[in-house]
Amino acid sequence: SFPVYEWLIETRIHPEETIPIERAVQVALGSSSVAPGTKWEYNNAGFVLLSFILERASGMPYATYMQQAIIQPLGLTNTMIPTGPNIPGPYMRCLAGTVDYTIGDMGWTRGAGELISTAEDLNTFHQALRSGRLLKPEILAEMFSFLNTPADQMRFVKPDGSAGYGLGYERQQKKSLGITLEGHSGGVPGSLSFMFYWVEGKAFISYNVNTTDPAAQNIVLRLVEAVKRTLSP
């Protein structure tokens, strides 16, 4: 729902300039041809708008709330919402072919992808999320209420079984492999992050890759297959 590549090129050429969040919302709201309530469609604008609702409900800036309500309580020491184009500490580069998109202000993505984190912190967050530490029981139940969705619209591993989407949470089944995955993915050109729960193996799996190759989403399948072979008698 955002012209991601276009804007990343813009921020790469002028990293000191910020794309106004109002511009991002305006473009995103005009990008969908689906009328509300008629069908399911993934749209990053929903996550951006949610960040504004969060600010109104909490009475504090989005970044402050995230820090106080989630990042600090969970001890996510390598998770941050950056301000401006500079990223503190060591980090992987965001490489799309020969182009480096690492430096650039991502503030226009807000709740749709502004966070920087590590695989370890993603696992910590995911465990807390599924255990009920972050959500009330009734909201957690909604998250796990997966509505059937078209396989071609799923954001990570394409299923050969059922596919479903809850409140910001996905489930896919690879029936041919006997694998059920629940979680979410996200990224920008040159950087992809995946956060999964392998239901049958009761294992949390997260990873980051600096590529735009869609094949990166299949890493988790190869990993789970290898573990299954190792554990099989």
Side-chain angles (χ1 to χ4, degrees), residues 6-67:
E6 174 188 334
W7 288 357
L8 280 178
I9 291 173
E10 186 174 322
T11 59
R12 183 172 178 265
I13 297 173
H14 303 288
E16 73 285 352
E17 297 181 7
T18 298
I19 294 175
I21 188 63
E22 293 80 9
R23 177 182 166 198
V25 171
Q26 184 179 23
V27 170
L29 290 178
S31 66
S32 177
S33 59
V34 178
T38 58
K39 64 176 290 188
W40 182 89
E41 181 184 70
Y42 192 91
N43 193 324
N44 279 308
F47 290 97
V48 176
L49 294 175
L50 185 60
S51 71
F52 285 105
I53 295 173
L54 188 151
E55 286 186 334
R56 181 64 63 89
S58 66
M60 64 181 72
Y62 161 73
T64 303
Y65 179 85
M66 293 292 290
Q67 189 70 33

Side-chain angles (χ1 to χ4, degrees), residues 115-130:
L115 279 169
I116 295 175
S117 192
T118 62
E120 182 179 9
D121 275 7
L122 282 176
N123 265 353
T124 298
F125 167 77
H126 201 182
Q127 291 169 13
L129 178 66
R130 289 185 66 97

Side-chain angles (χ1 to χ4, degrees), residues 101-112:
Y101 288 103
T102 306
I103 302 302
D105 191 342
M106 294 294 292
W108 51 270
T109 65
R110 293 271 292 210

Side-chain angles (χ1 to χ4, degrees), residues 10-232:
E10 186 174 322
T11 59
R12 183 172 178 265
I13 297 173
H14 303 288
E16 73 285 352
E17 297 181 7
T18 298
I19 294 175
I21 188 63
E22 293 80 9
R23 177 182 166 198
V25 171
Q26 184 179 23
V27 170
L29 290 178
S31 66
S32 177
S33 59
V34 178
T38 58
K39 64 176 290 188
W40 182 89
E41 181 184 70
Y42 192 91
N43 193 324
N44 279 308
F47 290 97
V48 176
L49 294 175
L50 185 60
S51 71
F52 285 105
I53 295 173
L54 188 151
E55 286 186 334
R56 181 64 63 89
S58 66
M60 64 181 72
Y62 161 73
T64 303
Y65 179 85
M66 293 292 290
Q67 189 70 33
Q68 294 183 6
I70 297 178
I71 295 175
Q72 289 180 348
L74 296 184
L76 306 179
T77 56
N78 293 304
T79 300
M80 69 195 79
I81 298 177
T83 56
N86 297 316
I87 306 172
Y91 50 84
M92 72 180 189
R93 310 300 297 186
C94 296
L95 303 176
T98 59
V99 181
D100 189 340
Y101 288 103
T102 306
I103 302 302
D105 191 342
M106 294 294 292
W108 51 270
T109 65
R110 293 271 292 210
E114 188 182 8
L115 279 169
I116 295 175
S117 192
T118 62
E120 182 179 9
D121 275 7
L122 282 176
N123 265 353
T124 298
F125 167 77
H126 201 182
Q127 291 169 13
L129 178 66
R130 289 185 66 97
S131 70
R133 288 183 60 188
L134 297 176
L135 299 175
K136 295 179 180 179
E138 59 270 25
I139 300 299
L140 192 64
E142 289 283 349
M143 189 185 82
F144 286 115
S145 297
F146 298 101
L147 300 177
N148 291 332
T149 52
D152 61 355
Q153 291 196 32
M154 301 314 290
R155 289 169 52 83
F156 56 84
V157 179
K158 302 305 180 185
D160 58 11
S162 63
Y165 204 93
L167 289 183
Y169 206 63
E170 303 176 32
R171 171 188 286 167
Q172 269 113 49
Q173 291 182 318
K174 277 285 185 180
K175 287 189 176 181
S176 59
L177 302 175
I179 295 173
T180 303
L181 297 170
E182 296 177 351
H184 212 277
S185 64
V188 295
S191 176
L192 299 174
S193 297
F194 301 88
M195 180 185 77
F196 301 104
Y197 178 69
W198 174 25
V199 176
E200 293 82 4
K202 299 181 180 179
F204 292 88
I205 304 170
S206 297
Y207 58 95
N208 301 302
V209 289
N210 57 344
T211 181
T212 53
D213 186 351
Q217 64 191 358
N218 293 321
I219 292 175
V220 67
L221 288 176
R222 294 195 293 269
L223 176 60
V224 171
E225 283 185 279
V227 171
K228 287 182 66 176
R229 286 195 299 269
T230 302
L231 297 178
S232 297

